Amino acid sequence: MIFIKLIIKNLYNRYRFFANQFQLSFLRFLGSKIHSSVTAYGKFSWIGNPKNLILGENVTINEGVHFNLFGEIEIKDNVRISTYVQFHTSKLNRHLNNREHIVDSILIGRNSWIASGVVLSPGVEVSEDCTILANSVVTKSLKESATYAGIPAKIIK
């Protein structure tokens, strides 16, 4: 009985790995520039134009990550994206009489880590070697290589 459970678990893990890699391959087919070393650990979602997604070498994407691809999202090499991170490249203009969407890109520098539940707003640039702690909201560019946390995200270390 234990042997059968191990076989089923192994098959399930292989299926999940294949499904995650298929999702990356599908995005490549639709025009995303995704390096072959990118790994997905769980299902992620996207809306918009797949051609606006650029993922560098050794990027990891975890379960529940959401990409809003109306503007360009570029993620450089060796970036770790934890669970349920949201990348938003469009927002509604705040003027009450003028309800139009504003689209802007997001750039994540090399060797950065974005922890669980982080929300990134349109127009944000994160410099290299940054850590953004869990549940932070990034509304402005992070120019220094440091650790950020809070709503809105501010340097803490």
Side-chain angles (χ1 to χ4, degrees), residues 9-141:
K9 184 177 180 180
N10 189 347
L11 288 172
Y12 178 73
N13 289 338
R14 287 177 188 257
Y15 161 76
R16 292 222 7 146
F17 176 79
F18 175 76
N20 298 338
Q21 295 309 316
F22 177 78
Q23 191 172 15
L24 290 171
S25 297
F26 184 64
L27 278 169
R28 285 184 194 102
F29 174 76
L30 294 175
S32 296
K33 295 176 186 85
I34 300 174
H35 193 272
S36 61
S37 63
V38 172
T39 307
Y41 295 103
K43 188 176 178 183
F44 60 92
S45 63
W46 56 273
I47 59 170
N49 186 352
K51 293 179 181 177
N52 288 332
L53 182 62
I54 302 168
L55 301 177
E57 292 182 39
N58 299 316
V59 172
T60 60
I61 303 167
N62 279 286
E63 180 81 29
V65 172
H66 176 73
F67 295 103
N68 171 323
L69 297 173
F70 292 109
E72 186 175 273
I73 298 174
E74 182 175 0
I75 300 173
K76 301 284 187 173
D77 303 340
N78 301 314
V79 173
R80 303 295 174 250
I81 304 168
S82 295
T83 56
Y84 301 102
V85 172
Q86 299 177 35
F87 295 87
H88 295 283
T89 59
S90 65
K91 64 182 176 181
L92 193 61
N93 191 347
R94 295 192 317 182
H95 299 291
L96 293 175
N97 297 334
N98 188 7
R99 296 195 181 228
E100 63 181 342
H101 281 272
I102 299 169
V103 175
D104 209 347
S105 61
I106 294 175
L107 173 66
I108 308 296
R110 290 175 173 80
N111 305 316
S112 294
W113 173 43
I114 305 171
S116 297
V118 170
V119 177
L120 294 112
S121 297
V124 167
E125 290 186 22
V126 176
S127 67
E128 294 183 358
D129 302 311
C130 278
T131 301
I132 306 170
L133 297 181
N135 300 315
S136 298
V137 177
V138 182
T139 57
K140 295 181 180 170
S141 292

